Amino acid sequence: MQQLIMKVAENMQIAENVFKMVLEHPELEDQKPGQFVDIKVDGLYLRRPISVCESYPGFVVIIYKVVGKGTDQLSRIRKRETLDVLTGLGNGYDLSKAGDAPLLLGGGVGVPPLVLLARKLREQGKEVTAVLGFNTEAEIFGENIFRGLGCRTTVTTADGSHGVKGFVTDALPENYSYFYTCGPEPMLKAVWKATKTSGQFSFEERMGCGFGACMGCSCKTVTGIKRICKEGPVLEKEEIVWANL
Ligand SMILES: Cc1cc2nc3c(=O)[nH]c(=O)nc-3n(C[C@H](O)[C@H](O)[C@H](O)COP(=O)(O)OP(=O)(O)OC[C@H]3O[C@@H](n4cnc5c(N)ncnc54)[C@H](O)[C@@H]3O)c2cc1C
Ligand code: FES
């Protein structure tokens, strides 16, 4: 984990209530797909966790949806302002299990962590299929990024305004070697039931400290209690215990 005062290089709206922010610092270490950053917002006690969407030497990209005070404040930050950020948090996705043809399933703000994952898998020569789910056309982002990376990409919308009408589970391909997913809990549960291979789930639970100290994000797994911020946010399909499935 690093604590850095990072410069905002870009902060722009890319879809309805959705913003992309680029944060830079010369000492920033490489971030793994599925890891997250935790941002201090003025006047708020708890930092706000946001997944790493892209990571290059010296900068990181995040995509966030405005849902409350913290993210609203983030959306108003201007270029060249600075933010206090904890980086390199969480375990991240394990790419070694992907097989030849991994499937990526993202819902809403669960899509961003799959961008860096898709790039890394494509760099390893994998045949990547991405299914991205949104409520409606105005909320869609990232489709071109996945296509640009050479992923076979399908978009679903709940209201049918773009792509396949329905949810990501309505557009699962016939064959895939393994899967990686991130999204709201109802979607994750549906994916858990509908998928036929092993896979990894990233959870975007509410958090306290964000780095393993408060136990506020503890959850029950087959192998015991885990802290989502430290031993997660990525859990294997076989270790998840759903509260109400
Ligand atoms: C590991 C991790 C990665 C995340 N990655 C992203 C990301 O890449 N992009 C993104 O937009 N968001 C992401 N989130 C969610 C993000 O942290 C919250 O949306 C944010 O903290 C809300 O802060 P706020 O002050 O704007 O909202 P608050 O005022 O705190 O809450 C506003 C509303 O949003 C709900 N809410 C807040 N946090 C969450 C949450 N974690 N899950 C579901 N509902 C929530 C509250 O219940 C409330 O109804 C991630 C969360 C975690 C734990
Ligand atoms: S948020 Fe404090 S231990 Fe996870």
Side-chain angles (χ1 to χ4, degrees), residues 36 48-51 63-65 67-71 109 203-207:
F36 64 96
R48 295 313 197 245
I50 305 287
S51 301
I63 291 179
Y64 62 93
K65 183 168 188 172
V67 294
K69 259 189 174 177
T71 44
V109 289
F203 287 86
E204 298 192 338
E205 298 281 327
R206 304 235 51 186
M207 281 186 185

Side-chain angles (χ1 to χ4, degrees), residues 4-88:
L4 299 170
I5 304 301
M6 303 191 77
K7 192 162 88 184
V8 175
E10 191 179 309
N11 191 24
M12 59 182 285
Q13 187 163 2
I14 57 168
E16 193 169 270
N17 296 324
V18 178
F19 289 73
K20 170 185 164 191
M21 181 183 277
V22 181
L23 290 160
E24 47 179 42
H25 194 288
E27 285 160 32
L28 177 70
E29 288 163 6
D30 210 21
Q31 311 289 300
K32 283 173 56 183
Q35 285 194 309
F36 64 96
V37 300
D38 215 2
I39 305 176
K40 174 104 190 71
V41 182
D42 275 351
L44 298 182
Y45 176 65
L46 292 176
R47 288 172 180 267
R48 295 313 197 245
I50 305 287
S51 301
V52 170
C53 171
E54 258 299 4
S55 166
Y56 290 99
F59 72 91
V60 70
V61 180
I62 57 171
I63 291 179
Y64 62 93
K65 183 168 188 172
V66 174
V67 294
K69 259 189 174 177
T71 44
D72 179 58
Q73 227 168 291
L74 279 185
S75 73
R76 293 167 197 281
I77 291 186
R78 282 183 301 214
K79 214 170 155 171
R80 287 187 280 280
E81 286 187 56
T82 56
L83 285 168
D84 176 340
V85 187
L86 300 179
T87 65

Side-chain angles (χ1 to χ4, degrees), residues 16-216:
E16 193 169 270
N17 296 324
V18 178
F19 289 73
K20 170 185 164 191
M21 181 183 277
V22 181
L23 290 160
E24 47 179 42
H25 194 288
E27 285 160 32
L28 177 70
E29 288 163 6
D30 210 21
Q31 311 289 300
K32 283 173 56 183
Q35 285 194 309
F36 64 96
V37 300
D38 215 2
I39 305 176
K40 174 104 190 71
V41 182
D42 275 351
L44 298 182
Y45 176 65
L46 292 176
R47 288 172 180 267
R48 295 313 197 245
I50 305 287
S51 301
V52 170
C53 171
E54 258 299 4
S55 166
Y56 290 99
F59 72 91
V60 70
V61 180
I62 57 171
I63 291 179
Y64 62 93
K65 183 168 188 172
V66 174
V67 294
K69 259 189 174 177
T71 44
D72 179 58
Q73 227 168 291
L74 279 185
S75 73
R76 293 167 197 281
I77 291 186
R78 282 183 301 214
K79 214 170 155 171
R80 287 187 280 280
E81 286 187 56
T82 56
L83 285 168
D84 176 340
V85 187
L86 300 179
T87 65
L89 297 172
N91 56 353
Y93 290 111
D94 178 355
L95 279 69
S96 69
K97 301 188 173 175
D100 293 337
L103 169 64
L104 275 45
L105 300 165
V109 289
V111 169
L114 303 181
V115 171
L116 178 56
L117 177 66
R119 178 163 68 83
K120 296 285 179 185
L121 290 169
R122 291 292 297 138
E123 283 169 7
Q124 293 177 1
K126 312 284 185 187
E127 288 292 325
V128 179
T129 300
V131 184
L132 317 175
F134 299 91
N135 291 317
T136 189
E137 187 169 30
E139 295 180 4
I140 295 173
F141 61 87
E143 183 176 2
N144 291 341
I145 303 177
F146 286 89
R147 289 199 198 286
L149 288 169
C151 303
R152 189 178 308 125
T153 307
T154 303
V155 170
T156 67
T157 48
D159 65 1
S161 50
H162 183 91
V164 175
K165 185 175 187 328
F167 303 103
V168 292
T169 42
D170 294 313
L172 294 183
E174 269 293 299
N175 297 308
Y176 50 95
S177 52
Y178 192 77
F179 72 87
Y180 297 91
T181 187
C182 185
E185 197 164 308
M187 179 198 123
L188 297 184
K189 284 181 180 169
V191 167
W192 195 85
K193 284 187 199 164
T195 44
K196 51 187 185 186
T197 67
S198 288
Q200 292 168 39
F201 291 70
S202 182
F203 287 86
E204 298 192 338
E205 298 281 327
R206 304 235 51 186
M207 281 186 185
C209 67
F211 52 85
C214 73
M215 303 302 286

